[in-house]
Amino acid sequence: MTTAYILAHFDDEYFALPMILEERRAGVAQKFLYVADYASADLAQRRLGETRAFLQSQGVAEADIVHVGAGTGAMDGDVRAGAPAALAAARAALAAIPGLDRLVVTAWEGGHPDHDACALIAVRLAQDLGGVRVDQFALYSGRGLRGRLFRAGSPLPENGPVRRVRLPLADWARFALGVRFYPSQWKTWLGLWPTMFLTYLLRGFGSQQLAAGRVGERPHEGALLYERQFGVSYAALQDCRDRVLGAPS
């Protein structure tokens, strides 16, 4: 049994730690594929080094952490524009993984356009693999909020039933302290970390299955966070969806 994580950025794996620990305890092999390209090789190596340090501290081998997006042009912040190339790179990497029976991806939630682009890529990959299961985990969204306000770690009800992942206290402490592995992202964590852990304390950590038809729907009613904060329209993600789900194998 093998699970492959389809992620945009180096640090997205942090939000999935409860799932990673659960899979490790169950003896499931785990692979991590990152599809965003970066503006400079130095930035990519620094970010990749942080991700490797974090995942290796959780028992993941360096060989199982692959930057498939390098050189694809699916740039950080604009993965949707290079999504077909990122899809092809991820598809090639998955072809070398035996026993693959599940994909895990960032949620279809309207928070960051790169995360939603990854959800589209994962849905297409699952189709190419004969319909393997795809699970999603929440990062952040602005559902029911205005301006730059967001909720972190809160699964959207539109994404269906939530499966709660139980963690012993020691793992919650490990989760909370894991941000220390990402010094280059400290400004990001200043805003995300308190909100995220307040949500986890109140509701726990949960994942949801991502059905293929779900990505044909707007993530939620009202303005999406990436529309308000990044100036990216939902139409741009619809265009990405058309190109990814219609791309040839």
Side-chain angles (χ1 to χ4, degrees), residues 53-137:
F54 174 75
L55 287 174
Q56 287 179 293
S57 76
Q58 312 304 327
V60 178
E62 182 176 335
D64 294 329
I65 307 164
V66 185
H67 187 196
V68 297
T72 63
M75 303 305 294
D76 175 23
D78 197 21
V79 167
R80 65 194 181 280
L87 169 64
R91 183 186 285 132
L94 291 181
I97 299 176
L100 182 65
D101 57 5
R102 184 168 80 129
L103 302 178
V104 174
V105 70
T106 47
W108 179 252
E109 61 186 356
H112 193 295
D114 288 357
H115 300 158
D116 280 13
C118 276
L120 295 170
I121 289 169
V123 165
R124 178 55 194 265
L125 290 171
Q127 293 174 349
D128 292 347
L129 292 165
V132 302
R133 181 184 175 99
V134 182
D135 286 321
Q136 59 185 327
F137 61 95

Side-chain angles (χ1 to χ4, degrees), residues 1-4 22-24 26-31 97-102 133:
M1 298 176 63
T2 302
T3 294
E22 181 183 51
E23 294 280 73
R24 188 183 72 181
V28 176
Q30 299 180 86
K31 310 289 184 179
I97 299 176
L100 182 65
D101 57 5
R102 184 168 80 129
R133 181 184 175 99

Side-chain angles (χ1 to χ4, degrees), residues 1-248:
M1 298 176 63
T2 302
T3 294
Y5 294 76
I6 309 299
L7 305 173
H9 315 114
F10 300 124
D11 74 2
D12 288 345
E13 69 284 343
Y14 176 75
F15 287 80
L17 183 58
M19 303 174 76
I20 295 168
L21 295 175
E22 181 183 51
E23 294 280 73
R24 188 183 72 181
R25 289 194 178 94
V28 176
Q30 299 180 86
K31 310 289 184 179
F32 295 81
L33 308 184
Y34 295 86
V35 304
D37 203 353
Y38 285 83
S40 74
D42 287 346
L43 175 60
Q45 285 303 307
R46 182 166 68 253
R47 297 285 305 275
L48 174 57
E50 292 173 353
T51 280
R52 282 176 173 165
F54 174 75
L55 287 174
Q56 287 179 293
S57 76
Q58 312 304 327
V60 178
E62 182 176 335
D64 294 329
I65 307 164
V66 185
H67 187 196
V68 297
T72 63
M75 303 305 294
D76 175 23
D78 197 21
V79 167
R80 65 194 181 280
L87 169 64
R91 183 186 285 132
L94 291 181
I97 299 176
L100 182 65
D101 57 5
R102 184 168 80 129
L103 302 178
V104 174
V105 70
T106 47
W108 179 252
E109 61 186 356
H112 193 295
D114 288 357
H115 300 158
D116 280 13
C118 276
L120 295 170
I121 289 169
V123 165
R124 178 55 194 265
L125 290 171
Q127 293 174 349
D128 292 347
L129 292 165
V132 302
R133 181 184 175 99
V134 182
D135 286 321
Q136 59 185 327
F137 61 95
L139 287 92
Y140 47 85
S141 78
R143 181 181 184 271
L145 302 173
R146 296 181 179 181
R148 299 172 68 89
L149 296 175
F150 63 89
R151 293 184 180 89
S154 183
L156 293 185
E158 290 88 346
N159 282 337
V162 178
R163 184 184 71 87
R164 295 295 174 186
V165 178
R166 297 185 179 276
L167 291 180
L169 184 59
D171 283 351
W172 277 115
R174 178 184 298 180
F175 194 7
L177 295 172
V179 291
R180 73 187 188 280
F181 287 94
Y182 305 95
S184 73
Q185 299 304 103
W186 68 269
K187 290 182 180 179
T188 299
W189 295 122
L190 280 179
L192 278 177
W193 190 94
T195 303
M196 181 175 67
F197 270 89
L198 178 60
T199 298
Y200 294 150
L201 285 172
L202 295 175
R203 301 182 183 178
F205 177 92
S207 67
Q208 297 161 291
Q209 186 170 1
L210 177 57
R214 174 68 178 121
V215 298
E217 303 169 351
R218 189 175 179 87
H220 60 77
E221 293 184 358
L224 306 176
L225 186 63
Y226 58 66
E227 291 177 318
R228 303 194 315 255
Q229 185 166 342
F230 302 115
V232 176
S233 69
Y234 176 58
L237 269 294
Q238 289 178 300
D239 175 70
C240 178
R241 180 182 64 222
D242 292 345
R243 288 182 294 118
V244 167
L245 298 184

